[in-house]
Coordinates of all heavy atoms in Angstrom, one line a residue:
M531 N -69.5 7.5 8.8 CA -68.4 7.4 7.8 C -68.9 8.1 6.5 O -70.0 8.0 6.1 CB -68.3 5.9 7.5 CG -67.1 5.6 6.6 SD -65.5 5.5 7.4 CE -64.4 5.7 6.0
Y532 N -67.9 8.8 6.0 CA -68.2 9.6 4.8 C -67.2 9.3 3.7 O -66.1 8.9 3.9 CB -68.1 11.1 5.2 CG -69.2 11.5 6.1 CD1 -69.0 11.5 7.5 CD2 -70.5 12.0 5.6 CE1 -70.0 11.9 8.4 CE2 -71.5 12.3 6.5 CZ -71.2 12.3 7.9 OH -72.3 12.6 8.7
Q533 N -67.7 9.5 2.5 CA -66.9 9.4 1.3 C -66.7 10.7 0.7 O -67.7 11.5 0.5 CB -67.6 8.4 0.3 CG -66.8 8.2 -1.0 CD -67.5 7.3 -2.0 OE1 -68.7 7.6 -2.2 NE2 -66.9 6.3 -2.5
I534 N -65.5 11.1 0.5 CA -65.2 12.4 -0.1 C -64.6 12.2 -1.5 O -63.6 11.5 -1.7 CB -64.1 13.2 0.8 CG1 -64.6 13.3 2.2 CG2 -63.9 14.5 0.2 CD1 -63.6 13.7 3.2
I535 N -65.2 12.8 -2.4 CA -64.7 12.7 -3.8 C -64.4 14.2 -4.3 O -65.2 15.1 -4.2 CB -65.8 12.1 -4.7 CG1 -66.1 10.7 -4.3 CG2 -65.3 12.1 -6.2 CD1 -67.3 10.1 -5.0
I536 N -63.2 14.3 -4.8 CA -62.7 15.6 -5.3 C -62.3 15.4 -6.7 O -61.5 14.5 -7.1 CB -61.5 16.0 -4.4 CG1 -61.8 16.1 -3.0 CG2 -60.9 17.4 -4.9 CD1 -60.7 16.2 -2.0
N537 N -62.8 16.3 -7.5 CA -62.4 16.4 -8.9 C -61.0 17.1 -9.1 O -61.0 18.3 -9.3 CB -63.5 17.1 -9.7 CG -63.2 17.1 -11.2 OD1 -62.1 16.8 -11.7 ND2 -64.1 17.5 -12.0
T538 N -60.0 16.3 -8.8 CA -58.7 16.9 -8.7 C -58.2 17.5 -10.0 O -57.3 18.4 -10.1 CB -57.6 15.9 -8.1 OG1 -57.7 14.7 -8.9 CG2 -57.9 15.7 -6.7
E539 N -58.7 16.9 -11.1 CA -58.2 17.4 -12.4 C -58.5 18.9 -12.6 O -57.7 19.6 -13.2 CB -59.0 16.6 -13.5 CG -58.1 16.3 -14.7 CD -58.7 15.1 -15.5 OE1 -58.4 13.9 -15.1 OE2 -59.4 15.4 -16.4
Q540 N -59.6 19.3 -12.0 CA -60.0 20.7 -12.2 C -59.6 21.6 -11.0 O -59.8 22.8 -11.0 CB -61.5 20.9 -12.5 CG -61.9 20.3 -13.8 CD -63.4 20.5 -14.0 OE1 -63.9 21.5 -13.8 NE2 -64.0 19.4 -14.5
C541 N -59.0 21.0 -10.0 CA -58.6 21.7 -8.8 C -57.5 22.7 -9.1 O -56.4 22.3 -9.6 CB -58.2 20.7 -7.7 SG -57.6 21.5 -6.2
D542 N -57.6 23.9 -8.7 CA -56.6 24.9 -8.9 C -55.8 25.2 -7.6 O -55.0 26.1 -7.6 CB -57.2 26.2 -9.5 CG -58.2 26.9 -8.6 OD1 -58.2 26.5 -7.4 OD2 -58.9 27.8 -9.0
G543 N -56.0 24.4 -6.6 CA -55.2 24.6 -5.4 C -55.5 25.8 -4.6 O -54.6 26.3 -3.9
C544 N -56.7 26.3 -4.6 CA -57.0 27.6 -3.9 C -57.0 27.4 -2.4 O -56.9 28.4 -1.7 CB -58.3 28.1 -4.4 SG -59.7 27.2 -3.7
E545 N -57.1 26.2 -2.0 CA -57.0 25.8 -0.6 C -58.2 26.3 0.3 O -58.1 26.2 1.5 CB -55.7 26.4 0.0 CG -54.9 25.4 0.7 CD -53.5 25.8 1.1 OE1 -53.0 26.9 0.6 OE2 -52.9 25.2 1.9
E546 N -59.2 26.7 -0.3 CA -60.4 27.1 0.5 C -61.0 25.9 1.3 O -61.3 26.1 2.4 CB -61.5 27.6 -0.5 CG -61.2 28.9 -1.2 CD -61.3 30.1 -0.3 OE1 -62.0 30.1 0.7 OE2 -60.6 31.1 -0.7
C547 N -61.1 24.8 0.6 CA -61.6 23.6 1.3 C -60.7 23.1 2.4 O -61.1 22.8 3.5 CB -61.8 22.5 0.3 SG -60.3 22.0 -0.5
V548 N -59.4 23.2 2.2 CA -58.4 22.8 3.2 C -58.5 23.7 4.4 O -58.5 23.2 5.6 CB -57.0 22.9 2.6 CG1 -55.9 22.6 3.7 CG2 -56.8 21.9 1.4
N549 N -58.6 25.0 4.2 CA -58.6 25.9 5.3 C -59.9 25.9 6.1 O -59.9 26.2 7.3 CB -58.3 27.3 4.8 CG -56.9 27.5 4.2 OD1 -56.0 26.8 4.6 ND2 -56.8 28.4 3.3
I550 N -61.0 25.6 5.5 CA -62.3 25.6 6.2 C -62.6 24.4 7.0 O -63.4 24.4 7.9 CB -63.4 26.0 5.2 CG1 -64.5 26.7 6.0 CG2 -63.9 24.7 4.5 CD1 -65.5 27.4 5.1
C551 N -61.9 23.3 6.6 CA -62.3 22.0 7.3 C -61.9 22.0 8.8 O -60.7 22.2 9.1 CB -61.6 20.8 6.6 SG -61.9 19.3 7.4
P552 N -62.8 21.8 9.7 CA -62.5 21.9 11.1 C -61.7 20.7 11.6 O -61.2 20.7 12.7 CB -63.9 21.9 11.8 CG -64.8 21.3 10.8 CD -64.2 21.6 9.4
S553 N -61.6 19.6 10.8 CA -61.0 18.4 11.3 C -59.7 18.1 10.5 O -59.2 17.0 10.6 CB -62.0 17.2 11.1 OG -63.2 17.5 11.7
S554 N -59.2 19.0 9.7 CA -58.0 18.8 9.0 C -58.0 17.5 8.1 O -57.0 16.8 8.1 CB -56.8 18.8 9.9 OG -56.7 20.0 10.7
V555 N -59.1 17.3 7.5 CA -59.2 16.1 6.7 C -58.5 16.3 5.3 O -58.0 15.3 4.8 CB -60.7 15.8 6.4 CG1 -60.9 14.7 5.5 CG2 -61.4 15.5 7.8
L556 N -58.5 17.5 4.8 CA -58.0 17.7 3.5 C -56.6 18.4 3.5 O -56.4 19.3 4.4 CB -59.0 18.6 2.7 CG -60.4 18.1 2.7 CD1 -61.4 19.1 2.1 CD2 -60.5 16.8 2.0
V557 N -55.8 18.1 2.6 CA -54.5 18.8 2.5 C -54.2 19.0 1.0 O -54.8 18.4 0.1 CB -53.3 17.9 3.1 CG1 -53.4 17.8 4.6 CG2 -53.3 16.5 2.4
L558 N -53.2 19.9 0.8 CA -52.8 20.2 -0.6 C -51.6 19.4 -0.9 O -50.6 19.4 -0.2 CB -52.5 21.7 -0.8 CG -53.1 22.3 -2.1 CD1 -54.6 22.2 -2.1 CD2 -52.7 23.8 -2.1
V559 N -51.6 18.6 -1.9 CA -50.4 17.8 -2.3 C -50.1 18.1 -3.8 O -51.0 17.9 -4.7 CB -50.7 16.3 -2.1 CG1 -49.5 15.5 -2.7 CG2 -50.9 15.9 -0.7
D560 N -49.0 18.6 -4.1 CA -48.6 19.0 -5.4 C -49.6 19.9 -6.0 O -50.0 19.8 -7.2 CB -48.4 17.7 -6.3 CG -47.2 16.9 -5.9 OD1 -46.3 17.4 -5.3 OD2 -47.3 15.7 -6.2
G561 N -50.1 20.8 -5.2 CA -51.1 21.8 -5.7 C -52.5 21.4 -5.9 O -53.3 22.1 -6.5
K562 N -52.8 20.1 -5.5 CA -54.1 19.6 -5.6 C -54.7 19.2 -4.3 O -54.0 18.6 -3.4 CB -54.1 18.4 -6.5 CG -53.5 18.6 -7.9 CD -54.5 19.3 -8.8 CE -54.0 19.4 -10.3 NZ -55.0 20.1 -11.1
C563 N -56.0 19.4 -4.1 CA -56.6 19.0 -2.8 C -56.6 17.5 -2.8 O -57.0 16.8 -3.7 CB -58.0 19.6 -2.8 SG -58.9 19.1 -1.3
T564 N -56.3 17.0 -1.6 CA -56.2 15.5 -1.4 C -56.8 15.2 0.0 O -56.7 15.9 0.9 CB -54.7 15.1 -1.4 OG1 -54.1 15.6 -2.6 CG2 -54.6 13.6 -1.3
V565 N -57.5 14.1 0.0 CA -58.1 13.6 1.3 C -57.0 12.9 2.1 O -56.4 12.0 1.6 CB -59.2 12.6 1.0 CG1 -59.8 12.1 2.4 CG2 -60.3 13.3 0.2
Q566 N -56.7 13.5 3.3 CA -55.7 12.9 4.1 C -56.2 11.9 5.1 O -55.6 10.9 5.3 CB -55.0 14.1 4.9 CG -53.9 13.7 5.8 CD -53.2 14.9 6.4 OE1 -52.0 15.0 6.2 NE2 -53.9 15.7 7.2
N567 N -57.2 12.2 5.8 CA -57.7 11.3 6.9 C -59.3 11.3 6.9 O -59.9 12.0 7.7 CB -57.2 11.6 8.2 CG -57.2 13.1 8.6 OD1 -57.4 13.9 7.7 ND2 -57.0 13.4 9.8
V568 N -59.8 10.5 6.0 CA -61.3 10.5 5.8 C -62.0 10.1 7.1 O -63.1 10.6 7.3 CB -61.6 9.6 4.6 CG1 -61.4 8.2 4.9 CG2 -63.1 9.9 4.2
D569 N -61.4 9.4 7.9 CA -62.0 8.9 9.2 C -62.4 10.1 10.1 O -63.3 9.9 10.9 CB -61.1 7.9 9.9 CG -61.0 6.6 9.2 OD1 -61.7 6.4 8.2 OD2 -60.1 5.8 9.6
D570 N -61.7 11.2 9.9 CA -62.0 12.3 10.8 C -63.1 13.2 10.2 O -63.5 14.2 10.9 CB -60.7 13.2 11.0 CG -59.7 12.5 11.9 OD1 -60.1 11.5 12.5 OD2 -58.6 13.0 12.0
C571 N -63.6 12.9 9.1 CA -64.6 13.8 8.4 C -65.9 13.7 9.2 O -66.4 12.6 9.5 CB -64.9 13.3 7.0 SG -66.2 14.3 6.2
A572 N -66.5 14.8 9.6 CA -67.7 14.9 10.3 C -68.9 15.2 9.4 O -70.0 15.3 9.9 CB -67.6 16.0 11.4
G573 N -68.7 15.3 8.2 CA -69.8 15.5 7.2 C -70.4 16.9 7.3 O -71.6 17.0 7.0
C574 N -69.7 17.8 7.7 CA -70.2 19.2 8.0 C -70.5 19.9 6.6 O -71.3 20.9 6.6 CB -69.3 20.0 8.8 SG -67.8 20.5 7.9
M575 N -70.0 19.5 5.6 CA -70.2 20.0 4.2 C -69.6 21.4 4.0 O -69.8 22.0 2.9 CB -71.7 20.1 3.9 CG -72.4 18.8 3.9 SD -71.8 17.6 2.7 CE -72.5 16.1 3.3
S576 N -68.8 21.8 4.9 CA -68.1 23.1 4.7 C -67.2 23.1 3.5 O -67.1 24.1 2.8 CB -67.3 23.5 6.0 OG -68.1 23.7 7.1
C577 N -66.5 22.0 3.3 CA -65.6 22.0 2.1 C -66.4 22.0 0.8 O -66.0 22.6 -0.2 CB -64.7 20.7 2.2 SG -65.7 19.2 2.3
V578 N -67.5 21.4 0.8 CA -68.4 21.3 -0.4 C -68.8 22.8 -0.7 O -68.8 23.2 -1.9 CB -69.6 20.4 -0.1 CG1 -70.6 20.5 -1.3 CG2 -69.2 19.0 0.1
E579 N -69.3 23.5 0.3 CA -69.7 24.8 0.1 C -68.6 25.8 -0.2 O -68.8 26.8 -0.9 CB -70.5 25.3 1.4 CG -71.8 24.6 1.6 CD -72.3 24.6 3.0 OE1 -71.8 25.5 3.8 OE2 -73.2 23.9 3.4
A580 N -67.4 25.5 0.3 CA -66.3 26.5 0.1 C -65.7 26.4 -1.3 O -65.1 27.4 -1.7 CB -65.2 26.2 1.2
C581 N -65.7 25.3 -1.9 CA -65.0 25.2 -3.2 C -65.7 26.1 -4.3 O -66.9 25.9 -4.6 CB -65.0 23.7 -3.7 SG -64.2 23.6 -5.3
P582 N -65.0 27.0 -4.8 CA -65.6 27.9 -5.8 C -65.9 27.3 -7.1 O -66.6 27.8 -7.9 CB -64.5 29.0 -6.0 CG -63.2 28.4 -5.5 CD -63.6 27.4 -4.5
N583 N -65.3 26.1 -7.3 CA -65.5 25.4 -8.5 C -66.4 24.1 -8.4 O -66.5 23.3 -9.3 CB -64.2 25.0 -9.1 CG -63.3 26.2 -9.3 OD1 -63.7 27.2 -9.8 ND2 -62.0 26.1 -8.8
Q584 N -67.0 24.0 -7.2 CA -67.9 22.8 -7.0 C -67.3 21.5 -7.3 O -67.8 20.6 -8.0 CB -69.2 22.9 -7.8 CG -70.2 24.0 -7.3 CD -70.0 25.4 -7.8 OE1 -69.8 25.5 -9.1 NE2 -69.9 26.4 -7.0
L585 N -66.1 21.3 -6.8 CA -65.3 20.1 -7.1 C -65.4 19.0 -6.0 O -64.9 17.9 -6.2 CB -63.8 20.5 -7.4 CG -63.6 21.5 -8.5 CD1 -62.1 21.7 -8.6 CD2 -64.1 21.0 -9.8
V586 N -66.0 19.4 -4.9 CA -65.9 18.5 -3.7 C -67.3 17.9 -3.5 O -68.3 18.7 -3.4 CB -65.4 19.2 -2.4 CG1 -65.3 18.2 -1.3 CG2 -64.1 19.9 -2.7
T587 N -67.4 16.6 -3.3 CA -68.6 15.9 -3.0 C -68.4 15.1 -1.7 O -67.4 14.4 -1.6 CB -69.1 15.0 -4.1 OG1 -69.1 15.7 -5.3 CG2 -70.4 14.4 -3.8
V588 N -69.4 15.2 -0.8 CA -69.3 14.4 0.5 C -70.6 13.6 0.6 O -71.7 14.2 0.6 CB -69.0 15.3 1.7 CG1 -69.0 14.4 3.0 CG2 -67.7 16.0 1.6
D589 N -70.5 12.3 0.8 CA -71.6 11.5 0.9 C -71.5 10.6 2.1 O -70.4 10.1 2.4 CB -71.8 10.6 -0.3 CG -72.3 11.3 -1.5 OD1 -73.3 12.1 -1.4 OD2 -71.7 11.2 -2.6
E590 N -72.6 10.4 2.9 CA -72.6 9.4 4.0 C -72.6 8.0 3.4 O -73.4 7.7 2.5 CB -73.8 9.7 4.9 CG -73.6 9.1 6.3 CD -74.6 9.6 7.3 OE1 -75.5 10.3 6.9 OE2 -74.4 9.2 8.5
I591 N -71.8 7.1 3.9 CA -71.8 5.8 3.5 C -71.9 4.8 4.6 O -71.7 5.1 5.8 CB -70.5 5.4 2.6 CG1 -69.2 5.7 3.5 CG2 -70.5 6.2 1.3 CD1 -67.9 5.3 2.8
Ligands
SF4_948 S1 -67.3 17.6 5.3 FE1 -66.5 19.0 6.9 S2 -65.3 17.6 8.2 FE2 -65.6 16.6 6.2 S3 -63.8 17.1 4.9 FE3 -65.5 18.6 4.5 S4 -65.1 20.3 5.8 FE4 -63.9 18.6 6.6
SF4_949 S1 -61.7 24.5 -2.8 FE1 -61.9 23.4 -4.7 S2 -60.4 24.3 -6.1 FE2 -59.9 25.0 -4.0 S3 -58.3 23.5 -3.3 FE3 -60.4 22.7 -2.7 S4 -61.1 21.4 -4.3 FE4 -59.4 22.6 -5.1

């Protein structure tokens, strides 16, 4: 189980994290990255690495 925290205030909606996630965990809502189904997160950290603004944090819980 993973916890995903996104600093949506600074998110510019570039969609890099959304597109790279192999499990479709993240979606864009109103131009901001949003966690859609955290249960499918595999903790691969691709979204963390993909965000050009370092806005995504993934922690095992
Ligand atoms: S850690 Fe991997 S599986 Fe989880 S949301 Fe990010 S890209 Fe998707
Ligand atoms: S990669 Fe970063 S800036 Fe781009 S949509 Fe995701 S959280 Fe927002």
Side-chain angles (χ1 to χ4, degrees):
M531 184 83 197
Y532 293 90
Q533 180 182 50
I534 304 168
I535 298 170
I536 302 165
N537 182 349
T538 49
E539 218 160 276
Q540 292 181 45
C541 174
D542 60 13
C544 74
E545 233 169 343
E546 294 285 338
C547 60
V548 174
N549 291 335
I550 206 162
C551 178
S553 306
S554 304
V555 173
L556 309 171
V557 291
L558 224 60
V559 175
D560 294 333
K562 302 282 186 182
C563 179
T564 305
V565 180
Q566 178 174 243
N567 46 346
V568 68
D569 289 350
D570 288 350
C571 176
C574 70
M575 300 296 165
S576 295
C577 56
V578 175
E579 292 161 14
C581 180
N583 304 313
Q584 287 88 46
L585 303 181
V586 186
T587 306
V588 177
D589 287 311
E590 197 166 7
I591 55 173

